[in-house]
Amino acid sequence: MLDFAIFAISFVLFLIGAVLYLYPASRQASGIPGMAPTEEKDGNLPDIVSTGSLHQFLVNLHEKYGPLASFWFGQRLVVSLGSINLLKEHINPNHTSDPFEMMLKSLLGYQSGFGGNAAENRMRKKVYEAGVDKAIQSNFTVILKLADELVTKWLSYPEAQHVPLCQHMLGFAMKSVTQAAMGQHFESDREVIHFRKNHESIWSEIGKGFLDGSLDKSSARKQHYEEALGEMEATLKRVAKERKEQSSGREVFMDSLLQGDLSEKQVLEDSMIFSLAGCVITANLCIWSTYFLATSKSLQDKLYQEVSQVLGRNPLTFDKLQELRYCQQVLNETVRTAKLTPVAARLQELDGSVDRHVIPKETLVIYALGVVLQDDSSWQSPYRFDPERFDDEAARKQFTLLGFAGSQECPELRFAYTVATVMLSTLIRKLNLHPVADQVVEMKYDLVTTPKEEAWITINKRS
């Protein structure tokens, strides 16, 4: 994501290390309450590792020290904000930038965009965001067709059969993203399967292998990663060449990049970022929203009533998306309850302040979104899945502030919301969803919050 990025523990720690290596001025202490370094060299890294995830470390940190807290990565200070009021205070007046694109490109070995002038970077960002919007509209019927195919497949199952949500939603997301990004080249299941294999090989190594050095220590792993990255880059280059020479039919994300006066390298890199991040975000939004709905018949019935009222017997169209307000509430509550984006980070470009405390320039400021999304001072009954809470305008404004809606919403999340709306409205018109008895689905806080193990549901045809 180009705006509010999501990080696994290892990826964030790599990001912190890389950003503070590039901007070494942020080593000074401050009066912000927080943890003293556990070790002189590593700071609080051992505490983060022992906790199991950066999200859980931040939960513990803010429980002990309050909404404004600090910790240390090596000899550098990191500031974490754990309340909506502090985020509001920090976002508006302070000059900050988002290091996610820079770090992701660095991990992939990309260089373009580093040190570019501000006008060029803004232009590229506009091209990227406009490309995602055009891809959504132009490929809406494709996404609808893929959702229909998924429902048809589920309808063929016996009622007692367990449906593997993660497996099926990841496949659905991969097809949606690849066809919207690159077009008919990915109408072939063989091409999607090949893309998925390379995607998983790259995504699994981003962060972890670079942080602990294990990728360089294993020649087999490094070769596997480099081969997967090379194959995906070759595919993206081939598709870009095909679209440039003969672009026909519906417009895809790649077309907007090619029309945006970008270099071939920039087209490759932006295509890679959207392909990597878009698939994972879309898949997990679909997984969690379907799972949460399966746990409540009353919520399913309310969504079914809305879909029936808005659409009647007609198919969903792009123009009708905004009328599915309750579906939007379900997705908002899914993001909140699953803590889909548990952590974001911004680089403090100039000296700033929060709650009367100075934040020195070039400090990495963590937005502890997972903490904020379940803060009982901001959300009533925060651990309960309750889409009704987003009937409240104040709740919607808070969501916008956190970067999950409005102008701060990242393009990949906007794409994921559209795909998930198509998927949920298609499912709910034809199926009843049921949880599997005694199943406990635990959360794993990676780059995107995922189920630790496969999540299962059962279905039956809606009468």
Short mmCIF file of all heavy atoms in Angstrom, two decimals, residues 27-64:
data_model
loop_
_atom_site.label_atom_id
_atom_site.label_comp_id
_atom_site.label_asym_id
_atom_site.label_seq_id
_atom_site.Cartn_x
_atom_site.Cartn_y
_atom_site.Cartn_z
N ARG A 27 18.58 9.59 16.88
CA ARG A 27 19.03 8.74 17.98
C ARG A 27 18.84 9.42 19.34
O ARG A 27 19.11 8.82 20.37
CB ARG A 27 20.51 8.33 17.81
CG ARG A 27 21.43 9.35 17.25
CD ARG A 27 22.89 8.90 17.34
NE ARG A 27 23.37 8.21 16.17
CZ ARG A 27 23.95 7.01 16.22
NH1 ARG A 27 24.09 6.39 17.35
NH2 ARG A 27 24.40 6.45 15.13
N GLN A 28 18.37 10.64 19.36
CA GLN A 28 18.26 11.34 20.63
C GLN A 28 17.06 10.85 21.44
O GLN A 28 16.06 10.42 20.90
CB GLN A 28 18.15 12.84 20.39
CG GLN A 28 16.87 13.27 19.68
CD GLN A 28 16.95 14.72 19.25
OE1 GLN A 28 17.54 15.03 18.23
NE2 GLN A 28 16.38 15.59 20.04
N ALA A 29 17.18 10.89 22.74
CA ALA A 29 16.10 10.49 23.63
C ALA A 29 15.08 11.62 23.74
O ALA A 29 15.29 12.72 23.26
CB ALA A 29 16.66 10.12 24.99
N SER A 30 13.97 11.34 24.41
CA SER A 30 12.95 12.37 24.61
C SER A 30 12.27 12.10 25.93
O SER A 30 12.56 11.13 26.62
CB SER A 30 11.93 12.34 23.47
OG SER A 30 11.07 11.23 23.63
N GLY A 31 11.33 13.00 26.28
CA GLY A 31 10.59 12.80 27.52
C GLY A 31 9.38 11.92 27.35
O GLY A 31 8.56 11.80 28.28
N ILE A 32 9.21 11.30 26.21
CA ILE A 32 8.06 10.43 25.97
C ILE A 32 8.19 9.16 26.80
O ILE A 32 9.24 8.51 26.78
CB ILE A 32 7.95 10.09 24.48
CG1 ILE A 32 7.71 11.36 23.66
CG2 ILE A 32 6.84 9.08 24.23
CD1 ILE A 32 7.75 11.16 22.16
N PRO A 33 7.17 8.78 27.55
CA PRO A 33 7.28 7.57 28.38
C PRO A 33 7.44 6.32 27.52
O PRO A 33 6.98 6.28 26.38
CB PRO A 33 5.95 7.55 29.15
CG PRO A 33 5.01 8.35 28.30
CD PRO A 33 5.84 9.41 27.66
N GLY A 34 8.12 5.34 28.05
CA GLY A 34 8.29 4.10 27.29
C GLY A 34 9.35 3.21 27.88
O GLY A 34 9.85 3.43 28.99
N MET A 35 9.74 2.20 27.12
CA MET A 35 10.66 1.18 27.58
C MET A 35 12.10 1.65 27.42
O MET A 35 12.45 2.25 26.40
CB MET A 35 10.45 -0.12 26.80
CG MET A 35 9.11 -0.77 27.00
SD MET A 35 8.98 -2.35 26.11
CE MET A 35 10.19 -3.33 27.01
N ALA A 36 12.91 1.33 28.40
CA ALA A 36 14.35 1.50 28.24
C ALA A 36 14.87 0.34 27.40
O ALA A 36 14.25 -0.73 27.34
CB ALA A 36 15.02 1.51 29.61
N PRO A 37 15.99 0.52 26.73
CA PRO A 37 16.53 -0.58 25.92
C PRO A 37 16.84 -1.81 26.78
O PRO A 37 17.41 -1.68 27.87
CB PRO A 37 17.81 0.02 25.33
CG PRO A 37 17.63 1.50 25.40
CD PRO A 37 16.80 1.74 26.62
N THR A 38 16.46 -2.97 26.30
CA THR A 38 16.79 -4.21 27.00
C THR A 38 18.24 -4.58 26.79
O THR A 38 18.91 -5.08 27.69
CB THR A 38 15.88 -5.35 26.50
OG1 THR A 38 14.52 -4.98 26.72
CG2 THR A 38 16.17 -6.65 27.23
N GLU A 39 18.72 -4.34 25.58
CA GLU A 39 20.12 -4.59 25.25
C GLU A 39 20.69 -3.36 24.56
O GLU A 39 19.99 -2.68 23.81
CB GLU A 39 20.25 -5.81 24.34
CG GLU A 39 19.82 -7.11 24.99
CD GLU A 39 20.03 -8.32 24.08
OE1 GLU A 39 20.54 -8.11 22.95
OE2 GLU A 39 19.70 -9.44 24.50
N GLU A 40 21.96 -3.07 24.82
CA GLU A 40 22.57 -1.87 24.26
C GLU A 40 22.57 -1.90 22.74
O GLU A 40 22.28 -0.89 22.08
CB GLU A 40 24.00 -1.72 24.78
CG GLU A 40 24.70 -0.47 24.27
CD GLU A 40 26.10 -0.32 24.83
OE1 GLU A 40 26.47 -1.13 25.71
OE2 GLU A 40 26.81 0.59 24.39
N LYS A 41 22.88 -3.03 22.16
CA LYS A 41 23.00 -3.12 20.71
C LYS A 41 21.64 -3.20 20.04
O LYS A 41 21.38 -2.52 19.04
CB LYS A 41 23.84 -4.34 20.34
CG LYS A 41 23.99 -4.53 18.83
CD LYS A 41 24.81 -5.77 18.52
CE LYS A 41 24.91 -5.99 17.02
NZ LYS A 41 25.68 -7.22 16.69
N ASP A 42 20.74 -4.04 20.57
CA ASP A 42 19.48 -4.32 19.90
C ASP A 42 18.30 -3.53 20.45
O ASP A 42 17.19 -3.61 19.90
CB ASP A 42 19.15 -5.82 19.99
CG ASP A 42 20.16 -6.66 19.24
OD1 ASP A 42 20.68 -6.17 18.21
OD2 ASP A 42 20.43 -7.80 19.65
N GLY A 43 18.49 -2.78 21.50
CA GLY A 43 17.38 -2.04 22.07
C GLY A 43 16.31 -2.98 22.60
O GLY A 43 16.58 -3.85 23.44
N ASN A 44 15.08 -2.83 22.13
CA ASN A 44 13.96 -3.67 22.59
C ASN A 44 13.62 -4.79 21.61
O ASN A 44 12.55 -5.40 21.71
CB ASN A 44 12.71 -2.81 22.82
CG ASN A 44 12.91 -1.78 23.91
OD1 ASN A 44 12.85 -0.58 23.67
ND2 ASN A 44 13.19 -2.25 25.13
N LEU A 45 14.52 -5.05 20.67
CA LEU A 45 14.26 -6.14 19.73
C LEU A 45 13.99 -7.47 20.43
O LEU A 45 13.05 -8.19 20.05
CB LEU A 45 15.45 -6.28 18.76
CG LEU A 45 15.38 -7.46 17.77
CD1 LEU A 45 14.14 -7.36 16.89
CD2 LEU A 45 16.65 -7.51 16.92
N PRO A 46 14.74 -7.85 21.48
CA PRO A 46 14.43 -9.11 22.16
C PRO A 46 13.02 -9.14 22.73
O PRO A 46 12.37 -10.19 22.75
CB PRO A 46 15.49 -9.18 23.27
CG PRO A 46 16.61 -8.31 22.79
CD PRO A 46 15.95 -7.20 22.04
N ASP A 47 12.52 -8.00 23.22
CA ASP A 47 11.17 -7.94 23.78
C ASP A 47 10.13 -8.17 22.68
O ASP A 47 9.12 -8.85 22.90
CB ASP A 47 10.92 -6.58 24.44
CG ASP A 47 11.96 -6.26 25.49
OD1 ASP A 47 11.94 -6.91 26.56
OD2 ASP A 47 12.79 -5.38 25.25
N ILE A 48 10.37 -7.59 21.51
CA ILE A 48 9.43 -7.76 20.40
C ILE A 48 9.41 -9.21 19.95
O ILE A 48 8.35 -9.80 19.75
CB ILE A 48 9.82 -6.83 19.23
CG1 ILE A 48 9.77 -5.37 19.68
CG2 ILE A 48 8.90 -7.05 18.04
CD1 ILE A 48 10.32 -4.38 18.65
N VAL A 49 10.59 -9.80 19.80
CA VAL A 49 10.67 -11.18 19.35
C VAL A 49 10.00 -12.13 20.34
O VAL A 49 9.26 -13.03 19.96
CB VAL A 49 12.15 -11.58 19.12
CG1 VAL A 49 12.27 -13.07 18.83
CG2 VAL A 49 12.75 -10.77 17.97
N SER A 50 10.24 -11.90 21.64
CA SER A 50 9.66 -12.80 22.65
C SER A 50 8.15 -12.67 22.73
O SER A 50 7.45 -13.63 23.10
CB SER A 50 10.28 -12.51 24.02
OG SER A 50 9.92 -11.21 24.48
N THR A 51 7.62 -11.49 22.38
CA THR A 51 6.16 -11.30 22.39
C THR A 51 5.49 -12.03 21.25
O THR A 51 4.33 -12.44 21.36
CB THR A 51 5.83 -9.80 22.32
OG1 THR A 51 6.50 -9.12 23.39
CG2 THR A 51 4.34 -9.56 22.46
N GLY A 52 6.18 -12.19 20.13
CA GLY A 52 5.64 -12.96 19.02
C GLY A 52 5.18 -12.15 17.83
O GLY A 52 5.10 -12.66 16.72
N SER A 53 4.84 -10.89 18.04
CA SER A 53 4.47 -10.01 16.93
C SER A 53 4.62 -8.57 17.37
O SER A 53 4.52 -8.25 18.56
CB SER A 53 3.03 -10.27 16.48
OG SER A 53 2.10 -9.76 17.42
N LEU A 54 4.89 -7.70 16.42
CA LEU A 54 4.99 -6.29 16.76
C LEU A 54 3.66 -5.76 17.30
O LEU A 54 3.64 -4.95 18.22
CB LEU A 54 5.42 -5.48 15.53
CG LEU A 54 5.55 -3.98 15.75
CD1 LEU A 54 6.59 -3.66 16.82
CD2 LEU A 54 5.90 -3.27 14.45
N HIS A 55 2.55 -6.24 16.73
CA HIS A 55 1.23 -5.80 17.20
C HIS A 55 1.07 -6.10 18.69
O HIS A 55 0.68 -5.23 19.47
CB HIS A 55 0.12 -6.47 16.41
CG HIS A 55 -1.21 -6.39 17.07
ND1 HIS A 55 -1.90 -5.20 17.21
CD2 HIS A 55 -1.98 -7.34 17.69
CE1 HIS A 55 -3.03 -5.41 17.85
NE2 HIS A 55 -3.09 -6.70 18.17
N GLN A 56 1.35 -7.35 19.10
CA GLN A 56 1.15 -7.70 20.51
C GLN A 56 2.13 -6.95 21.41
O GLN A 56 1.80 -6.57 22.53
CB GLN A 56 1.30 -9.20 20.72
CG GLN A 56 0.87 -9.67 22.11
CD GLN A 56 -0.56 -9.27 22.46
OE1 GLN A 56 -1.48 -9.54 21.69
NE2 GLN A 56 -0.74 -8.63 23.61
N PHE A 57 3.34 -6.71 20.91
CA PHE A 57 4.30 -5.90 21.66
C PHE A 57 3.74 -4.50 21.89
O PHE A 57 3.83 -3.96 23.00
CB PHE A 57 5.62 -5.83 20.89
CG PHE A 57 6.58 -4.81 21.45
CD1 PHE A 57 7.38 -5.11 22.55
CD2 PHE A 57 6.69 -3.55 20.87
CE1 PHE A 57 8.26 -4.17 23.07
CE2 PHE A 57 7.57 -2.60 21.39
CZ PHE A 57 8.37 -2.91 22.49
N LEU A 58 3.12 -3.92 20.86
CA LEU A 58 2.55 -2.58 21.00
C LEU A 58 1.35 -2.58 21.93
O LEU A 58 1.13 -1.61 22.67
CB LEU A 58 2.16 -2.04 19.63
CG LEU A 58 3.33 -1.76 18.67
CD1 LEU A 58 2.80 -1.34 17.30
CD2 LEU A 58 4.27 -0.70 19.23
N VAL A 59 0.54 -3.64 21.89
CA VAL A 59 -0.57 -3.75 22.83
C VAL A 59 -0.05 -3.68 24.27
O VAL A 59 -0.55 -2.91 25.10
CB VAL A 59 -1.35 -5.07 22.61
CG1 VAL A 59 -2.35 -5.30 23.76
CG2 VAL A 59 -2.10 -5.03 21.28
N ASN A 60 0.97 -4.48 24.56
CA ASN A 60 1.55 -4.49 25.91
C ASN A 60 2.20 -3.13 26.25
O ASN A 60 2.08 -2.64 27.38
CB ASN A 60 2.60 -5.59 26.01
CG ASN A 60 2.02 -6.98 25.83
OD1 ASN A 60 0.80 -7.17 25.91
ND2 ASN A 60 2.86 -7.95 25.53
N LEU A 61 2.87 -2.55 25.27
CA LEU A 61 3.55 -1.27 25.49
C LEU A 61 2.55 -0.19 25.89
O LEU A 61 2.76 0.55 26.86
CB LEU A 61 4.29 -0.87 24.21
CG LEU A 61 5.06 0.46 24.26
CD1 LEU A 61 6.35 0.29 25.06
CD2 LEU A 61 5.38 0.94 22.84
N HIS A 62 1.45 -0.09 25.15
CA HIS A 62 0.47 0.97 25.41
C HIS A 62 -0.36 0.68 26.66
O HIS A 62 -0.80 1.62 27.34
CB HIS A 62 -0.43 1.17 24.20
CG HIS A 62 0.28 1.86 23.07
ND1 HIS A 62 0.64 3.18 23.13
CD2 HIS A 62 0.70 1.40 21.86
CE1 HIS A 62 1.25 3.52 21.99
NE2 HIS A 62 1.30 2.46 21.21
N GLU A 63 -0.56 -0.57 26.98
CA GLU A 63 -1.25 -0.90 28.24
C GLU A 63 -0.44 -0.40 29.44
O GLU A 63 -0.99 0.06 30.44
CB GLU A 63 -1.47 -2.41 28.35
CG GLU A 63 -2.62 -2.94 27.50
CD GLU A 63 -2.81 -4.44 27.68
OE1 GLU A 63 -1.94 -5.08 28.34
OE2 GLU A 63 -3.80 -4.97 27.16
N LYS A 64 0.88 -0.48 29.34
CA LYS A 64 1.74 -0.09 30.46
C LYS A 64 2.03 1.40 30.50
O LYS A 64 2.04 2.02 31.58
CB LYS A 64 3.05 -0.87 30.38
CG LYS A 64 3.99 -0.61 31.57
CD LYS A 64 5.18 -1.54 31.54
CE LYS A 64 6.08 -1.31 32.76
NZ LYS A 64 7.25 -2.24 32.76
#
